[in-house]
Amino acid sequence: MEAAAVGIGFLLDFVIGDPESWWHPVRGIGWLIGWLERLLIKCFPESPTGEIAAGGILAVLVLIVTGGTTAGILAVAGWIHPALRFLILCVMSWQILAARSLKTESMKVLKALKEEDVEKAREAVSRIVGRDTRPLSEEGIIKAAVETVAENVSDGVIAPLFYLLFLGPVGGWMYKAVNTMDSMMGYKNEKYLYLGRAAARLDDLCNYLPARITAGFLILSAFLLGYDGKQAFRIYCRDRYQHASPNSAHGEAAVAGALGIRLAGPAWYFGVLHNKPFIGDPGRDVEPEDIRRAGKMMFTAEALAVAVILAGNLKIA
């Protein structure tokens, strides 16, 4: 039943996505993180040790509340009727996935570039990246969009499916809480260097296996889509650790190799230039259509992952 719910959730995400006007559980998790942050920083001393402790307690509390709420909702629904539990499982599986929303936002960047409106494209890409977007040229905007899609194939698609498969909806939504904490607090700036450390380390741990599985699906998708699968594998093997995060470069390396472009490099964050290493070879200049190609690889990788989940469960059954 849970595997069937994952399949239906995949279809719902593909067709509907996450309309901005609809409430999403991640907003609730985000509110909880913000509320606990404001509360806990008042309870601990303003020191590295105090902030690390506050961040660790915050992470534990967010996981307990998220997992407990998910389990409670499913338990009550199952008590009312199994069909209601299955329906809620479908909704949970749908809302844990972010492929359609990521594709929608990245296509806004592509549309603005097609209209030759660089300022509009810069504004659109600012919605999906954490870097400073004001210094970005057209090339920088394209690379930022492609990198975000490539990196988030793991965070927003394959990792949630991985935890849904092995730990069920409770584990899946606890992973989503970890990912949300990292997106809100996992920065090496003055505010979150210590306070966000627990969230960042937990996110690194939870994404270790999914990031590598994601790269495999992306390389396979490159072959299926007629991109350069051999180059995707070669660049992945060479550049998968070309990032401060142990996980972020895996998807980017596979996509860069498949498309024959060079990603990453120097980028501005919070007014500071970070000289990040390049990923991929400069076989050609990036172009707006690379955003669409990265999106195709994302959806193909997701479809492959769902197919593996459904096939595995059918075999077991």
Side-chain angles (χ1 to χ4, degrees):
M1 294 293 286
E2 290 186 2
V6 170
I8 293 171
F10 161 71
L11 293 174
L12 288 171
D13 179 64
F14 183 80
V15 174
I16 302 174
D18 298 316
E20 289 188 25
S21 59
W22 295 11
W23 187 82
H24 195 285
V26 168
R27 296 183 187 178
I29 296 172
W31 176 87
L32 176 63
I33 293 167
W35 181 78
L36 285 173
E37 178 186 336
R38 292 189 296 272
L39 175 66
L40 290 170
I41 60 175
K42 296 177 182 177
C43 301
F44 288 84
E46 292 185 17
S47 66
T49 302
E51 291 182 6
I52 289 173
I57 292 173
L58 183 151
V60 170
L61 290 175
V62 169
L63 289 176
I64 289 173
V65 172
T66 302
T69 301
T70 305
I73 290 171
L74 289 171
V76 171
W79 177 76
I80 295 172
H81 198 281
L84 178 61
R85 184 180 186 276
F86 177 71
L87 177 62
I88 291 177
L89 271 174
C90 293
V91 173
M92 285 183 171
S93 299
W94 160 32
Q95 294 196 315
I96 205 172
L97 299 173
R100 176 60 184 268
S101 61
L102 186 60
K103 177 70 178 299
T104 298
E105 294 299 323
S106 65
M107 291 304 290
K108 290 178 182 178
V109 182
L110 175 60
K111 183 175 182 293
L113 291 170
K114 293 278 189 180
E115 296 170 352
E116 299 184 353
D117 190 338
V118 175
E119 189 56 42
K120 184 178 178 181
R122 193 176 288 120
E123 179 183 349
V125 82
S126 70
R127 292 167 55 90
I128 56 174
V129 301
R131 72 191 67 181
D132 298 340
T133 56
R134 284 189 178 184
L136 292 180
S137 62
E138 180 175 341
E139 177 187 11
I141 292 168
I142 297 168
K143 288 173 63 176
V146 172
E147 289 165 27
T148 298
V149 172
E151 181 179 347
N152 282 284
V153 177
S154 177
D155 293 3
V157 182
I158 305 301
L161 289 171
F162 177 86
Y163 285 101
L164 279 173
L165 173 63
F166 289 104
L167 299 178
V170 174
W173 275 100
M174 288 177 73
Y175 167 77
K176 199 69 173 179
V178 170
N179 189 240
T180 305
M181 283 190 285
D182 182 64
S183 67
M184 293 178 65
M185 303 175 62
Y187 297 101
K188 292 183 178 180
N189 57 21
E190 184 178 351
K191 183 177 181 180
Y192 290 118
L193 181 61
Y194 300 107
L195 184 61
R197 183 165 296 181
R201 295 292 181 269
L202 193 56
D203 186 75
D204 287 344
L205 177 63
C206 290
N207 280 299
Y208 187 85
L209 281 176
R212 288 147 182 82
I213 294 169
T214 296
F217 281 126
L218 285 171
I219 292 168
L220 182 55
S221 73
F223 283 106
L224 294 175
L225 291 168
Y227 302 150
D228 197 335
K230 292 182 179 179
Q231 182 79 339
F233 179 73
R234 185 182 74 82
I235 296 298
Y236 168 71
C237 292
R238 190 191 73 187
D239 292 350
R240 65 188 185 278
Y241 293 117
Q242 293 288 77
H243 199 286
S245 163
N247 304 316
S248 295
H250 291 264
E252 291 182 35
V255 171
L259 301 183
I261 58 177
R262 187 169 70 172
L263 299 173
W268 291 86
Y269 293 87
F270 303 103
V272 178
L273 180 63
H274 293 256
N275 288 309
K276 297 164 60 178
F278 288 102
I279 296 174
D281 292 331
R284 61 173 177 81
D285 294 334
V286 295
E287 58 187 21
E289 279 299 315
D290 288 323
I291 300 173
R292 191 191 308 276
R293 295 178 185 120
K296 287 181 179 180
M297 290 184 68
M298 173 182 65
F299 274 121
T300 305
E302 181 184 26
L304 288 169
V306 172
V308 168
I309 291 172
L310 295 178
N313 278 271
L314 286 173
K315 186 176 180 180
I316 292 171

